């Protein structure tokens, strides 16, 4: 059981976290692009000031996106029974409960999906296309593997995050009431964030050595 205000607060926090992670993954792919494709200019192009500006942009866009979507949901009418068909309050299952028009909210969600979701996804794909082209030009398999290994953890997180998000949000709101989508929600809200530290830390040689020692 959760109050309406609590549900709206949870919806805002969840939307903010999701949208900032989308943009952050794109910023990280840009960082990998500079490190591999522009190694001599990396230090100057990714200075402390640039990193701070990128992070401010990530948090700013995430805040604006989640604020707009949350305010639109908060203005809707809910006549009951208000049973959220999920284990948390997120936009699609909450919209399905409204007895007023959700047209504006749905349009805003689709716009966010296209601009933030597909836009960032295409930028990540573009970055890795350029990275792959650069790696293929490297002479020797050792050099190619070293370059690719710097991207492996990021690629794993991108694959996990986008596959579940795309599967969930490209469907109409009515189909989101199915039980299988609750399982998918668990994957991208609990499993993926829990795996992130493990995936990134396994790039650390000391941690890898300790891991294989335990195994």
């Amino acid at each position: 059981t959760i109050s309406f205000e609590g549900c709206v607060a949870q919806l805002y926090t969840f939307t903010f976290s999701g949208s900032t992670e989308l943009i952050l993954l794109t910023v990280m792919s840009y960082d990998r692009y500079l490190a591999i494709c522009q190694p001599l200019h990396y230090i100057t192009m990714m200075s402390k000031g640039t990193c701070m500006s990128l992070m401010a942009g990530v948090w700013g866009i995430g805040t604006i996106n989640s604020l707009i979507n949350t305010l639109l949901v908060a203005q809707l009418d809910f006549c009951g029974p208000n049973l959220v068909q999920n284990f948390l309050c997120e936009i699609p299952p909450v919209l399905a409960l409204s007895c007023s028009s959700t047209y504006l909210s749905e349009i805003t969600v689709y716009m966010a999906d296209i601009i933030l979701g597909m836009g960032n996804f295409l930028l990540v794909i573009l970055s890795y296309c350029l990275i792959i082209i650069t790696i293929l030009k490297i002479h020797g398999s050792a050099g190619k593997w070293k370059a690719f290994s710097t991207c492996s953890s990021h690629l794993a997180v991108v694959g996990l995050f986008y596959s579940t998000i795309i599967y969930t949000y490209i469907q109409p709101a009515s189909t989101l009431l199915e039980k299988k989508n609750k399982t998918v929600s668990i994957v991208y809200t609990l499993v993926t964030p829990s795996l992130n530290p493990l995936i990134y830390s396994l790039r650390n040689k000391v941690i890898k050595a300790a891991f294989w020692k335990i195994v």
Side-chain angles (χ1 to χ4, degrees):
T1 303
I2 187 170
S3 66
F4 179 72
E5 292 77 13
C7 186
V8 170
Q10 191 179 73
L11 190 149
Y12 172 84
T13 305
F14 177 76
T15 308
F16 172 77
S17 301
S19 53
T20 49
E21 185 167 4
L22 277 171
I23 308 166
L24 184 59
L25 288 172
T26 305
V27 171
M28 290 173 70
S29 68
Y30 173 67
D31 175 75
R32 294 300 84 205
Y33 160 75
L34 289 179
I36 294 172
C37 302
Q38 305 285 337
L40 299 179
H41 301 284
Y42 178 79
I43 295 176
T44 54
M45 295 182 76
M46 287 300 287
S47 62
K48 185 178 180 179
T50 303
C51 290
M52 291 177 69
S53 299
L54 287 170
M55 288 312 303
V58 168
W59 290 329
I61 295 169
T63 300
I64 293 169
N65 171 65
S66 52
L67 190 62
I68 292 171
N69 282 287
T70 304
L71 288 175
L72 288 173
V73 172
Q75 292 174 0
L76 298 174
D77 296 321
F78 297 90
C79 308
N82 295 325
L83 179 63
V84 179
Q85 295 291 338
N86 209 325
F87 71 98
L88 82 162
C89 290
E90 58 174 321
I91 294 175
V94 172
L95 289 182
L97 300 176
S98 178
C99 54
S100 57
S101 174
T102 60
Y103 178 76
L104 186 58
S105 289
E106 288 181 2
I107 290 295
T108 308
V109 170
Y110 282 126
M111 285 178 64
D113 288 347
I114 293 168
I115 297 171
L116 290 180
M118 295 305 297
N120 282 289
F121 182 69
L122 291 173
L123 287 173
V124 170
I125 294 296
L126 176 62
S127 296
Y128 275 102
C129 285
L130 296 171
I131 288 170
I132 290 169
I133 291 170
T134 303
I135 289 175
L136 291 175
K137 293 178 181 178
I138 298 173
H139 298 291
S141 57
K144 290 179 181 179
W145 174 250
K146 186 178 180 181
F148 178 77
S149 65
T150 62
C151 309
S152 56
S153 54
H154 180 252
L155 271 174
V157 173
V158 167
L160 258 175
F161 186 76
Y162 275 103
S163 58
T164 50
I165 288 290
I166 291 171
Y167 175 81
T168 302
Y169 282 90
I170 61 172
Q171 302 178 76
S174 59
T175 64
L176 287 165
L177 303 181
E178 298 175 13
K179 185 178 179 181
K180 62 180 181 179
N181 287 3
K182 295 178 187 177
T183 306
V184 177
S185 295
I186 291 172
V187 172
Y188 70 74
T189 55
L190 298 177
V191 178
T192 304
S194 300
L195 287 176
N196 282 358
L198 178 64
I199 291 170
Y200 287 121
S201 62
L202 280 177
R203 290 199 62 246
N204 185 294
K205 291 180 180 179
V206 177
I207 293 176
K208 279 196 289 187
F211 174 77
W212 287 115
K213 187 177 180 181
I214 293 169
V215 171

